[in-house]
Amino acid sequence: MDTFADLLDSAEEWCAAAIEDAQEGRWVRDAVERQVMADIAAATNALHGGRQAPFTGDAWQVRMGRIANWAGVLRLAARAGRWELHPVVGHRPPRPAGMAELLSGIYAIGEQGERWMARFLRERRTPAEKEIARAEGFLTGPGSMEDLHLFFYDD
């Protein structure tokens, strides 16, 4: 069975591939891709008030919900641009990587948030603190997906 560490490593690899290919000029975002990324940033505002992850002072439902929200936003983004989301664990991102690979990498973490939330609602079980903290750090804060626009030089 895949572990959360495998999932996070794969998500990071897929996102890094897309960012690297953009920075090296192998992927040049078009106007739709730039707008979709701006919309993702607006829709996934963590409302953390400048606090840094992990958000240990927040209720578990808020923490898991903040992560799970990314999944729905990314599904909508993928549909809007007609990009296909791919499983990332056990797969290398195709190169050159682009929008589909970037969204797939981020989606993997959001989807895990949805699984955590469903399990919490069903069984009242929470994920390990270390896992949710790592997911929060991947999505929120300096150098995270929240800062994604800073990694692209084509604006």
Side-chain angles (χ1 to χ4, degrees), residues 69-153:
N69 284 344
W70 282 80
V73 169
L74 291 166
R75 282 191 296 269
L76 289 171
R79 283 186 200 117
R82 297 191 174 151
W83 298 291
E84 185 177 345
L85 296 172
H86 302 281
V88 299
V89 175
H91 303 279
R92 306 231 0 131
R95 301 305 279 269
M99 193 67 164
E101 291 74 31
L102 178 66
L103 296 179
S104 294
I106 303 168
Y107 178 71
I109 302 303
E111 185 180 40
Q112 180 62 55
E114 287 183 325
R115 286 192 292 271
W116 285 334
M117 183 63 84
R119 185 180 70 186
F120 178 77
L121 294 173
R122 189 178 57 250
E123 303 171 16
R124 305 308 282 179
R125 288 184 46 216
T126 59
E129 174 62 37
K130 180 179 178 181
E131 290 180 355
I132 198 166
R134 290 185 71 198
E136 289 170 330
F138 174 82
L139 296 170
T140 309
S144 71
M145 295 303 104
E146 183 177 51
D147 281 346
L148 194 56
H149 66 283
L150 299 175
F151 297 105
F152 292 88
Y153 310 136

Side-chain angles (χ1 to χ4, degrees), residues 17-39:
I19 291 166
E20 177 185 312
D21 284 351
Q23 290 175 346
E24 297 294 324
R26 292 182 291 270
W27 169 36
V28 178
R29 297 180 308 158
D30 62 24
V32 170
E33 291 167 332
R34 285 192 299 277
Q35 184 59 55
V36 165
M37 287 179 66
D39 291 342

Side-chain angles (χ1 to χ4, degrees), residues 56-69:
T56 56
D58 293 345
W60 279 102
Q61 297 92 322
V62 172
R63 295 177 75 187
M64 288 182 288
R66 191 179 279 131
I67 296 165
N69 284 344

